[in-house]
Each structure stands twice: as structure tokens, then as C-alpha cells.
């Protein structure tokens, strides 16, 4: 089980990412736009605005965590579970459509 503080920190990052998503996206499209040629000083101002946003609002700082345990590693996107929890649930036949391999 992951620490509660780490799980709460991740939730806070998700909220920040949702809050600043449109601002970040609009600034990036303005910087990259080839239709309206911006001067170098305007682009640097836009980059400064982008860098002034909170770090935790960047989508790359998010981790996918296990739904049950909060484990940040070995997560399966389809189920939202970590590997060992997924394996236990498959053995107990709690996941429909998932079969265990036997050879």
C-alpha cells in the first residue's frame, strides 16, 4: 500500500494539470505557429509565461497509480491495477475475460 501523502500529492497534480491544461496548450500553439510570424522577443515572452506556470501542472509529472494499492509501477492501463494485484484477481476469477496462462 502506498503512503496516503503520495496518493494525495498525485491527486493534487492531476487537478493542477486540468486547471492549466488550456493555458499551456494555447501558449504552446502560439509559440509553434508558423502562420503568424512572431518576433523573437514575443516568443521569449511566451516561453517565460509557459515557464512561470507551476511545475506540477505539466502532464509529464503525472504517474498512473494502481486503483487499489496506489502503487506507481507496473500498472496496466486496461484495468488500472498493478501487476501483482491483477495476477491475484485473475487467479480468483474476479476479472471477466482474463485467463491465466498454463502450459
Amino acid at each position: 500500500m502506498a503512503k496516503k501523502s503520495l496518493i494525495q500529492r498525485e491527486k493534487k497534480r492531476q487537478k493542477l494539470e486540468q486547471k492549466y491544461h488550456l493555458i499551456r496548450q494555447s501558449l504552446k500553439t502560439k509559440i509553434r505557429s508558423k502562420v503568424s510570424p512572431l518576433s523573437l522577443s514575443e516568443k521569449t515572452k511566451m516561453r517565460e509565461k509557459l515557464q512561470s506556470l507551476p511545475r506540477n501542472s505539466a502532464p509529464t509529472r503525472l504517474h498512473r497509480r494502481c486503483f487499489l494499492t496506489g502503487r506507481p509501477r507496473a500498472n496496466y492501463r486496461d484495468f488500472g491495477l498493478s501487476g501483482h494485484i491483477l495476477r491475484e484477481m485473475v487467479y480468483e476469477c474476479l476479472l471477466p475475460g482474463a485467463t491465466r496462462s498454463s502450459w
Side-chain angles (χ1 to χ4, degrees):
M1 193 74 180
K3 284 184 175 181
K4 301 278 185 183
S5 60
L6 296 177
I7 295 171
Q8 292 302 319
R9 188 183 305 164
E10 194 65 36
K11 288 181 182 177
K12 183 180 177 183
R13 284 183 183 145
Q14 287 175 353
K15 287 179 186 177
L16 276 174
E17 196 273 330
Q18 289 175 356
K19 181 179 177 182
Y20 289 101
H21 178 73
L22 293 176
I23 298 169
R24 186 177 293 278
Q25 187 178 9
S26 66
L27 284 172
K28 283 186 175 185
T29 54
K30 286 178 185 177
I31 291 171
R32 293 179 188 160
S33 68
K34 295 179 181 177
V35 178
S36 62
L38 296 172
S39 68
L40 188 61
S41 62
E42 291 174 350
K43 280 193 174 185
T44 55
K45 287 180 185 176
M46 298 246 187
R47 286 190 186 117
E48 287 174 359
K49 286 182 185 177
L50 189 63
Q51 288 177 352
S52 67
L53 296 177
R55 275 191 180 183
N56 284 335
S57 68
T60 56
R61 292 179 69 96
L62 293 176
H63 286 278
R64 203 173 3 275
R65 289 188 171 267
C66 177
F67 178 71
L68 293 177
T69 60
R71 189 171 194 265
R73 298 179 182 222
N75 284 315
Y76 288 86
R77 291 182 189 194
D78 297 338
F79 302 104
L81 299 169
S82 62
H84 70 282
I85 298 294
L86 180 74
R87 184 182 175 105
E88 289 174 5
M89 290 181 83
V90 168
Y91 284 154
E92 295 170 4
C93 299
L94 296 175
L95 292 176
T99 58
R100 21 177 217 197
S101 62
S102 59
W103 63 92

